[in-house]
Amino acid sequence: MPVKPYRTHPALEGAAVTLVTLVALLSGIYFIYVQAKHAVEEEIREGLVRNVSAAATTIDGDLHRTFTGDTDPDDPAYVEFLGKLEAIRQASAYVQYLYTCISVDGQVYFIANPSPQGDIDGDGQTDVAPQLMDLYEGPGRALLDAIETQTPSVDEEPYTDQWGTFYGAYAPFYDSQGRFVGVLGMDLEQGGEDLGRVILGL
């Protein structure tokens, strides 16, 4: 029985080759994008940890210990401490919030947070920053790890709380006797900014 000759369909075969090539190209581009995104995020995390760890070495742990729920928010020493903390934040590009926290009986409390607040609740008014000895409800795992292990820690993914969505990094600070006092937190807002510029600014 004679074999029928193979009939070619150049248009269909060309379209199929083009489709396969396009799929392979798009898959490659997506893979490169994902890898680049992970690399950029890792650089952001590493930059934040370096920044917050360096900043934590400037915290006066002895003075920080004197700030309690009985401290007058207008106390000159406390006001000066807030000013120094805000100066550090302003010198750290793209850092939204800089604050200190302590742990008491397993609960996390704010001590100093001079960072200007936005309008997260959308009521048209600037939100009030967490005040001295305000309870931090629902702190992220990285902050808790920094307190529990007394070592620097950073969010693996952007963390959302009542103040927004951030990459947060945390570093312990100590008193003059080397005793653990608290943790300095540094939040980089996760938004539409150019991440490359963010990295260069850290």
Side-chain angles (χ1 to χ4, degrees):
M1 183 174 183
V3 178
K4 292 182 179 180
Y6 175 72
R7 293 185 179 179
T8 61
H9 300 278
L12 291 178
E13 291 175 356
V17 170
T18 299
L19 180 60
V20 170
T21 302
L22 181 61
V23 169
L25 179 62
L26 291 177
S27 298
I29 291 173
Y30 179 74
F31 176 78
I32 292 172
Y33 165 77
V34 170
Q35 293 300 108
K37 183 173 182 288
H38 287 326
V40 168
E41 290 174 344
E42 183 61 27
E43 286 191 54
I44 290 174
R45 289 191 292 267
E46 291 177 359
L48 273 174
V49 168
R50 288 194 301 270
N51 222 18
V52 75
S53 297
T57 64
T58 70
I59 302 296
D60 185 338
D62 293 311
L63 177 60
H64 195 278
R65 279 194 186 281
T66 67
F67 302 141
T68 68
D70 295 327
T71 300
D72 186 336
D74 294 324
D75 181 281
Y78 183 66
V79 172
E80 182 180 3
F81 185 90
L82 292 177
K84 290 180 178 179
L85 205 60
E86 175 60 8
I88 295 172
R89 187 193 71 83
Q90 292 183 10
S92 304
Y94 297 96
V95 170
Q96 184 76 18
Y97 298 125
L98 190 69
Y99 49 91
T100 64
C101 293
I102 63 171
S103 178
V104 179
D105 297 329
Q107 302 277 10
V108 179
Y109 295 87
F110 289 100
I111 294 296
N113 184 3
S115 306
Q117 305 294 296
D119 180 21
I120 301 300
D121 56 16
D123 64 356
Q125 302 293 323
T126 300
D127 298 334
V128 177
Q131 301 298 299
L132 181 63
M133 287 305 293
D134 276 355
L135 177 66
Y136 189 165
E137 298 180 3
R141 184 67 256 169
L143 173 55
L144 295 175
D145 285 345
I147 290 173
E148 292 169 4
T149 65
Q150 298 177 23
T151 58
S153 183
V154 63
D155 291 319
E156 289 299 314
E157 298 291 339
Y159 175 73
T160 299
D161 60 17
Q162 57 265 52
W163 293 286
T165 299
F166 311 92
Y167 274 113
Y170 312 91
F173 58 90
Y174 305 86
D175 63 18
S176 58
Q177 303 300 311
R179 295 172 298 190
F180 174 70
V181 176
V183 164
L184 179 67
M186 179 177 285
D187 291 343
L188 175 67
E189 187 167 8
Q190 175 69 10
E193 67 271 5
D194 180 341
L195 295 182
R197 290 172 58 220
V198 170
I199 292 169
L200 293 175
L202 289 176

